[in-house]
């Protein structure tokens, strides 16, 4: 497939699917944990606990709510100048890096034909279980 930006290579949808498939294959390894964006937005505290447990990090219960609040999209957007990964200074508005707390919202910003083509590429290139996880 060769659509808008959908070609073989590293910084393309095909390249991204390739890297995700590699991580998916290794997800049972001790040093690989995949976290879905929708799970983070639906249950930030639970996903943070999952990450903390996987990393062996112990957090005092009285600090937990402050850490979860600091990791929210709203909080990160407010501190975007410090938190957005923009070491090259290419972002016009660093807060835009934290623009949407919904994969559904991001997907709906694409023209329907491009969104459909992207979905088809993921289904073509990813193992079926990974495609289902990614496209839920």
């Amino acid at each position: 497939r060769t659509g808008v930006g959908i070609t073989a290579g590293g910084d393309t949808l095909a390249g991204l699917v390739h890297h995700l498939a590699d991580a998916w294959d290794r997800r049972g390894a001790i040093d690989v944990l995949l976290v879905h964006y929708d799970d983070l937005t639906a249950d930030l505290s639970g996903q943070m606990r999952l990450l903390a447990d996987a990393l062996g990090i112990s957090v005092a219960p009285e600090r937990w709510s402050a850490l979860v609040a600091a990791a929210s999209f709203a909080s990160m957007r407010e501190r975007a100048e410090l938190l957005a990964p923009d070491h090259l200074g290419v972002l016009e508005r660093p807060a835009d890096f934290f623009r949407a707390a919904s994969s559904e919202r991001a997907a709906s910003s694409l023209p329907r034909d491009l969104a459909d083509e992207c979905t088809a590429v993921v289904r073509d290139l990813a193992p079926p279980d990974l495609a289902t996880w990614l496209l839920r």
Side-chain angles (χ1 to χ4, degrees):
R1 286 184 188 269
T2 57
V4 181
I6 304 173
T7 58
D11 291 338
T12 64
L13 181 55
L16 176 64
V17 171
H18 170 78
H19 290 294
L20 287 169
D22 179 56
W24 188 256
D25 287 343
R26 296 182 297 116
R27 71 188 181 280
I30 195 160
D31 60 347
V32 177
L33 175 67
L34 297 178
V35 179
H36 197 285
Y37 186 87
D38 288 340
D39 294 337
L40 284 169
T41 56
D43 181 17
L44 181 58
S45 180
Q47 293 299 294
M48 286 177 61
R49 285 194 191 281
L50 179 74
L51 288 166
D53 290 347
L55 295 170
I57 297 171
S58 177
V59 177
E62 64 274 7
R63 296 201 59 219
W64 193 254
S65 63
L67 291 172
V68 173
S72 71
F73 280 95
S75 178
M76 290 190 294
R77 194 176 302 114
E78 289 172 6
R79 299 175 301 137
E81 295 291 336
L82 295 171
L83 299 176
D86 188 28
H87 65 280
L88 297 177
V90 298
L91 296 175
E92 286 183 35
R93 295 180 310 254
D96 287 351
F97 181 80
F98 303 104
R99 68 188 168 275
S102 165
S103 60
E104 206 171 278
R105 181 174 162 196
S108 68
S109 68
L110 293 175
R112 181 79 257 150
D113 61 332
L114 180 57
D116 290 346
E117 187 171 357
C118 289
T119 297
V121 167
V122 171
R123 290 199 189 285
D124 286 348
L125 297 178
D129 52 347
L130 172 59
T132 298
W133 186 77
L134 287 170
L135 298 170
R136 62 187 173 124

